[in-house]
Amino acid sequence: DQCQTFQDHSERADHFVGVAGTFNSGTNLMAEYLIQNCHMEDRMAKFGAKSKGVRWQVPWGKHNPPGSEEFRKNHKTQKDANVDAGDI
């Protein structure tokens, strides 16, 4: 029900997917499947062939519970401090 809102949020080339889930739920395997098989063409055209649009984890941390929208927007891993959670 939020698909159109997400698509309208920003430029398609800035969007990406990331993996999240509880421990022992296959998040590492899912990340590898996505990295190997998912290619976001708009993102690759803008940032280069190595930027396929797949992140190993979501910016708020792969095993952190999503909580509320406020949690997802305000809690970031060190590496992803500048990533807009709305682009996921």
Side-chain angles (χ1 to χ4, degrees):
D1 64 274
Q2 293 295 314
C3 191
Q4 192 63 47
T5 302
F6 173 74
Q7 291 176 4
D8 294 341
H9 171 73
S10 60
E11 186 179 335
R12 288 177 56 111
D14 294 333
H15 295 171
F16 52 87
V17 296
V19 175
T22 59
F23 290 101
N24 296 318
S25 64
T27 53
N28 288 331
L29 181 61
M30 179 58 76
E32 286 303 316
Y33 279 145
L34 290 172
I35 289 167
Q36 295 299 319
N37 296 295
C38 183
H39 306 119
M40 300 175 95
E41 294 178 12
D42 292 334
R43 186 168 183 87
M44 293 170 67
K46 182 176 180 179
F47 297 105
K50 289 188 177 186
S51 185
K52 296 178 182 179
V54 180
R55 302 181 69 83
W56 180 73
Q57 68 177 356
V58 292
W60 55 88
K62 185 165 59 167
H63 298 302
N64 288 333
S68 65
E69 183 177 356
E70 181 180 342
F71 179 91
R72 291 189 305 272
K73 289 183 175 181
N74 296 320
H75 293 83
K76 307 281 179 72
T77 62
Q78 286 181 335
K79 182 178 179 183
D80 295 323
N82 297 323
V83 174
D84 181 354
D87 287 338
I88 300 175

